[in-house]
C-alpha cells in the first residue's frame, strides 16, 4: 500500500512538471510571435528610400553658362636693368597691387574659359653707384585662359588654369635719389615696348555658396612668363643718357589673388 502511494505521488509530480513546461513553451512562442510582428512592421520612409534612389543620390548643380568675376591680386616680379656702368642687375621688386575683372564661360562643371582684364602697377628699385633708382611700369594685362576643375558645382572646387596673355604698357617712368660719388654724369631713361606677350598660369580653390552655387569665393596663385623683350631696342639715346631697361629682359610675375564670381 505504501508503494502505491509513492508511485502515485511521483506521477502527480511528473504531470505537474509537464504542464509547467507546456505553459512556458506556449509563452515563449507567443513572445517570439510578438517580436516577429514588431520586426516586420512596414516603414514607408525606409521603403521609399530603398525604392527611390533620388533620396540618397544628389547631383551637383550645373554651372554651365556665363559668370562675372572681380579680384584683387598683389604680386611680385623680376626684371633686368642696366646701370650707368653698363652692368646688368635684377632689381628689387616692390609688391604690386593689381585689380581686375573677368567674363567667364563654363561649358560644364569641369571646363571653363576666362577672359580677364587686369590693371597692374609695378615698381622696381636698385642701387647704381650709391644712388637709388626707381622704375615704375604700368600695364593692362589681358589673359585668355582655360581652366580645369574638379567640380565647380561642389562646395569646394580645385582648379588649374593656363593660357596666353597680352600686356599693354600704359606708363613708364624713372627717378633717382642720392648723389652717389658725385654728380650724375648720365641720365637714365626708361623705354619699353608697347606690348608684352607671354603665358599666364595658376591654380586655386573655389568655395561655392548657395544651393545652386550661384556665388563663388576664389583664392589662388597666378604667375606670368613673358616671351618678348620688354626693353625697347630701337630707340636713340643722347650721349648723356642710357637706357635703364636691359636688353633681352622678359617680364616675370608671381602673385596671389582673392576674388568673387557670380553666375549670370
Amino acid at each position: 500500500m505504501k508503494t502505491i502511494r509513492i508511485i502515485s505521488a511521483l506521477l502527480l509530480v511528473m504531470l505537474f512538471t509537464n504542464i509547467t513546461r507546456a505553459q512556458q513553451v506556449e509563452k515563449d512562442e507567443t513572445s517570439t510571435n510578438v517580436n516577429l510582428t514588431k520586426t516586420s512592421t512596414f516603414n514607408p520612409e525606409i521603403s521609399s528610400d530603398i525604392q527611390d534612389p533620388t533620396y540618397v543620390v544628389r547631383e551637383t548643380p550645373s554651372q554651365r553658362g556665363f559668370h562675372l568675376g572681380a579680384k584683387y591680386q598683389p604680386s611680385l616680379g623680376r626684371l633686368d636693368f642696366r646701370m650707368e656702368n653698363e652692368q646688368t642687375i635684377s632689381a628689387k621688386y616692390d609688391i604690386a597691387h593689381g585689380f581686375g575683372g573677368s567674363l567667364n564661360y563654363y561649358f560644364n562643371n569641369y571646363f571653363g574659359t576666362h577672359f580677364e582684364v587686369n590693371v597692374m602697377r609695378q615698381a622696381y628699385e636698385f642701387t647704381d653707384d650709391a644712388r637709388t633708382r626707381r622704375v615704375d611700369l604700368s600695364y593692362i594685362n589681358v589673359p585668355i585662359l582655360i581652366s580645369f576643375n574638379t567640380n565647380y558645382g561642389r562646395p569646394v572646387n580645385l582648379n588649374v588654369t593656363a593660357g596666353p596673355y597680352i600686356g599693354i604698357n600704359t606708363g613708364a617712368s624713372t627717378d633717382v635719389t642720392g648723389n652717389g660719388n658725385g654728380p650724375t654724369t648720365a641720365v637714365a631713361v626708361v623705354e619699353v615696348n608697347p606690348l608684352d606677350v607671354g603665358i599666364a598660369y595658376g591654380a586655386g580653390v573655389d568655395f561655392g555658396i548657395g544651393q545652386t552655387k550661384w556665388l563663388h569665393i576664389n583664392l589662388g596663385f597666378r604667375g606670368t612668363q613673358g616671351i618678348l623683350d620688354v626693353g625697347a631696342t630701337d630707340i636713340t639715346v643722347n650721349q648723356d643718357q642710357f637706357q635703364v631697361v636691359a636688353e633681352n629682359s622678359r617680364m616675370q610675375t608671381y602673385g596671389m589673388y582673392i576674388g568673387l564670381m557670380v553666375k549670370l
Side-chain angles (χ1 to χ4, degrees):
M1 188 70 177
K2 186 177 180 180
T3 304
I4 296 175
R5 290 179 180 177
I6 294 173
I7 294 173
S8 300
L10 291 175
L11 291 174
L12 289 174
V13 171
M14 292 176 62
L15 179 62
F16 179 79
T17 302
N18 289 334
I19 293 174
T20 303
R21 289 181 179 178
Q23 290 177 348
Q24 183 64 35
V25 170
E26 182 179 0
K27 182 178 180 181
D28 292 341
E29 289 178 353
T30 303
S31 177
T32 302
N33 291 335
V34 171
N35 291 337
L36 289 175
T37 302
K38 290 182 179 179
T39 304
S40 60
T41 301
F42 178 73
N43 189 334
E45 294 183 357
I46 296 177
S47 176
S48 61
D49 289 349
I50 296 175
Q51 295 176 8
D52 191 353
T54 59
Y55 281 88
V56 295
V57 177
R58 296 181 180 179
E59 295 184 358
T60 55
S62 173
Q63 299 302 305
R64 181 176 181 179
F66 287 97
H67 297 245
L68 191 65
K71 68 176 180 178
Y72 165 63
Q73 181 177 314
S75 61
L76 299 173
R78 179 183 179 276
L79 197 62
D80 294 333
F81 293 90
R82 184 168 56 187
M83 298 191 296
E84 187 176 346
N85 60 6
E86 301 298 322
Q87 181 181 355
T88 299
I89 65 169
S90 295
K92 177 184 177 182
Y93 184 84
D94 291 341
I95 295 178
H97 301 281
F99 300 88
S102 63
L103 179 62
N104 319 280
Y105 183 82
Y106 284 85
F107 301 99
N108 49 45
N109 288 7
Y110 306 98
F111 299 97
T113 59
H114 308 261
F115 178 81
E116 300 182 356
V117 177
N118 303 313
V119 178
M120 305 292 296
R121 180 180 176 274
Q122 303 164 359
Y124 303 85
E125 284 188 358
F126 62 96
T127 301
D128 183 3
D129 191 24
R131 301 180 181 89
T132 300
R133 298 190 186 274
R134 179 183 174 92
V135 178
D136 293 308
L137 301 174
S138 298
Y139 281 89
I140 295 178
N141 287 333
V142 184
I144 302 176
L145 308 172
I146 297 177
S147 69
F148 303 90
N149 304 269
T150 55
N151 191 328
Y152 201 59
R154 290 180 178 175
V156 179
N157 170 70
L158 302 179
N159 71 76
V160 293
T161 58
Y165 78 87
I166 297 177
I168 303 172
N169 180 258
T170 58
S173 63
T174 183
D175 191 20
V176 61
T177 57
N179 295 324
N181 296 326
T184 303
T185 58
V187 177
V189 295
V190 51
E191 295 287 346
V192 296
N193 291 316
L195 292 179
D196 176 34
V197 178
I199 302 296
Y201 56 92
V205 56
D206 309 301
F207 301 94
I209 299 175
Q211 185 176 1
T212 61
K213 304 300 180 287
W214 64 276
L215 176 66
H216 281 83
I217 299 175
N218 315 118
L219 300 173
F221 163 81
R222 177 64 59 79
T224 64
Q225 173 60 62
I227 59 177
L228 296 181
D229 296 339
V230 175
T233 58
D234 57 348
I235 64 171
T236 301
V237 296
N238 299 329
Q239 188 173 1
D240 60 344
Q241 297 176 331
F242 70 97
Q243 159 70 313
V244 70
V245 180
E247 296 181 5
N248 301 320
S249 183
R250 295 174 174 82
M251 188 77 68
Q252 296 178 3
T253 64
Y254 314 93
M256 306 297 293
Y257 66 82
I258 179 172
L260 293 175
M261 194 176 298
V262 180
K263 185 177 182 181
L264 300 180

